[in-house]
Amino acid sequence: MKKLKVISDLGEFGLIKHLTDGFDSENTSVIKGIGDDAAVIKNIGNSSIITTDMLVEGIHFDLVYTPLKHLGYKSVVVNLSDVYAMNCNPSHITVSIAISNKFSLNAIEELYSGIKLACEKYGVSLIGGDTSSSVTGLMISVTAIGQSDKNNIVYRSGAKKNDLICVSGDLGGAYLGLQLLEREKEIFLIDRKIQPELKDCEYILQRQLRPEARKDIIDFFRRNKIKPNSMIDISDGLSSEIIHICEQSGTGAKVFEEKIPIHPQSIQFSEQFKLDPGIAALNGGEDYELLFTIGMDKLETLQKNSDITVIGYICDKKEGLNLVSENGVYVPLEAQGWNPLK
Ligand code: ADP
Ligand code: MG
């Protein structure tokens, strides 16, 4: 058997060089990437958009069922999603990792192969980071940077009365994928001989383990010369994100339950887990879809994109934030623990 290479053979500088060697600069705006005290990038707009997310083993991911390549990919994507949610294109990332000695070089290479795949797919350049050891587990912190004309940027605070409330893709799948992985983990821990039962669940597993960010939606806005009034990415569940938009915009909202897009596989697995698929969509999180509000006059343009669904509209603050069920019952939207009046 091939002996696993150990990280200590390489030393810190050797490791950084080894991991970042295959990364091509995706952007001409990189003046100095990895290798100096700091990176230097050329300004291509009058505003910079900067966002960071940290993923911690045992809190944000479980290595029992998370392939490291997927984890690398996801740690980049969740940050890019935040830049897209500002209606901007990310161009650069930095990646900081803390690794314990239980990791082989192969394992960290896997992590970086996922990071590289995301960089290539989304056209961003890795321009730096930091490397440390850890005694508790794996930590990954990614910073994403984008540059834009300040007039293109869309904030959470811009929603206006009568705006359409729209979402991209479908919701709840990532949460159901997590439920499935957790169930199989429990079974595995009881009897390690039992193989996981993972049939016909590729979609929800991919939603949890290897999500994508909606660059295509931002490109669609740009191509069609439309701009949302407010936007946020759906990382904590639809309900919580609508509350953020309404609180920051000083508005109310009406969302129609039957309009919330849910994938057939999510519905199927909700039944298995005896969960309401609507609750998975409203409170599940980690879907990394975009939630935005936009003027009603843009409806015709939005209808050109089958991956955008209108789920409601913005109303006066005094009307509150409500979910309207199929039979017309109003239920106040809550960030957590929403109870359907059925
Ligand atoms: P410093 O001592 O100035 O912090 P480092 O030795 O930490 O420098 O980093 C050297 C170079 O390698 C820098 O350009 C840094 O941004 C980059 N770098 C360090 N760790 C990583 C990593 N995990 N991923 C990508 N780039 C890294
Ligand atoms: Mg450093």
Side-chain angles (χ1 to χ4, degrees):
M1 211 168 81
K2 205 173 112 198
K3 186 173 175 292
L4 291 180
K5 266 200 223 163
V6 279
I7 290 168
S8 54
D9 289 350
L10 284 168
E12 185 191 335
F13 301 126
L15 176 66
I16 296 169
K17 184 156 184 346
H18 181 80
L19 292 176
T20 58
D21 237 7
F23 281 79
D24 294 323
S25 240
E26 306 280 333
N27 288 286
T28 50
S29 56
V30 181
I31 297 171
K32 182 77 202 181
I34 293 161
D36 213 309
D37 296 312
V40 182
I41 54 183
K42 211 186 296 176
N43 287 340
I44 47 171
N46 52 25
S47 300
S48 296
I49 296 90
I50 301 165
T51 177
T52 299
D53 264 309
M54 182 155 71
L55 299 181
V56 178
E57 182 179 348
I59 307 285
H60 301 101
F61 57 89
D62 188 331
L63 288 177
V64 170
Y65 52 69
T66 310
L68 283 163
K69 185 171 180 180
H70 288 11
L71 181 63
Y73 193 87
K74 181 172 177 176
S75 63
V76 175
V77 162
V78 302
N79 279 278
L80 303 185
S81 177
D82 280 323
V83 182
Y84 293 124
M86 305 299 287
N87 198 35
C88 300
N89 272 301
S91 46
H92 309 90
I93 58 162
T94 64
V95 174
S96 299
I97 52 171
I99 37 182
S100 62
N101 56 13
K102 76 174 181 193
F103 287 98
S104 67
L105 182 60
N106 287 23
I108 302 303
E109 281 172 354
E110 276 293 293
L111 182 76
Y112 264 74
S113 72
I115 292 172
K116 185 157 173 258
L117 200 63
C119 284
E120 288 165 357
K121 167 131 195 211
Y122 292 93
V124 301
S125 304
L126 175 68
I127 54 166
D130 201 19
T131 307
S132 166
S133 39
S134 153
V135 286
T136 47
L138 179 63
M139 268 172 275
I140 311 161
S141 171
V142 176
T143 297
I145 302 164
Q147 295 179 332
S148 166
D149 191 281
K150 75 174 193 310
N151 300 319
N152 287 334
I153 301 175
V154 175
Y155 298 92
R156 296 177 179 183
S157 55
K160 294 186 176 64
K161 187 180 169 183
N162 295 331
D163 268 5
L164 300 169
I165 302 176
C166 307
V167 292
S168 64
D170 56 75
L171 302 176
Y175 177 75
L176 289 157
L178 181 64
Q179 299 311 303
L180 178 62
L181 289 163
E182 287 286 340
R183 182 186 76 188
E184 294 307 314
K185 178 187 161 185
E186 291 303 313
I187 296 170
F188 174 75
L189 291 180
I190 293 166
D191 184 349
R192 291 182 187 246
K193 286 196 290 294
I194 296 179
Q195 284 300 307
E197 225 178 272
L198 300 176
K199 269 212 311 275
D200 301 325
C201 52
E202 288 80 6
Y203 183 73
I204 59 168
L205 287 184
Q206 176 256 315
R207 296 290 284 169
Q208 171 57 223
L209 293 173
R210 223 200 81 145
E212 301 289 355
R214 296 313 299 255
K215 174 180 175 25
D216 60 317
I217 300 291
I218 300 304
D219 292 342
F220 172 80
F221 293 153
R222 200 144 303 159
R223 258 198 328 277
N224 287 279
K225 300 189 172 53
I226 57 172
K227 189 185 145 194
N229 289 329
S230 69
M231 188 152 57
I232 186 168
D233 73 328
I234 305 180
S235 51
D236 296 331
L238 179 64
S239 204
S240 155
E241 316 304 1
I242 289 177
I243 293 170
H244 282 309
I245 285 204
C246 288
E247 273 179 357
Q248 296 201 24
S249 303
T251 66
K254 210 168 277 182
V255 173
F256 299 97
E257 188 183 14
E258 84 267 18
K259 301 275 187 217
I260 298 173
I262 302 175
H263 192 274
Q265 200 170 86
S266 305
I267 294 175
Q268 184 197 327
F269 275 86
S270 299
E271 283 162 11
Q272 256 198 43
F273 289 112
K274 300 195 170 37
L275 288 166
D276 184 317
I279 294 190
L282 282 161
N283 292 335
E286 290 204 284
D287 288 313
Y288 300 105
E289 296 293 342
L290 293 171
L291 167 72
F292 60 93
T293 78
I294 192 163
M296 230 155 38
D297 56 325
K298 307 297 185 307
L299 182 61
E300 211 174 304
T301 310
L302 294 173
Q303 283 168 340
K304 287 198 274 181
N305 192 325
S306 60
D307 232 15
I308 292 175
T309 310
V310 178
I311 58 165
Y313 61 90
I314 294 290
C315 53
D316 266 336
K317 188 177 179 174
K318 62 175 191 301
E319 294 181 61
L321 280 70
N322 287 292
L323 184 76
V324 186
S325 75
E326 244 166 308
N327 43 22
V329 179
Y330 279 53
V331 185
L333 280 168
E334 283 168 16
Q336 286 290 319
W338 172 74
N339 271 312
L341 285 179
K342 289 258 151 132

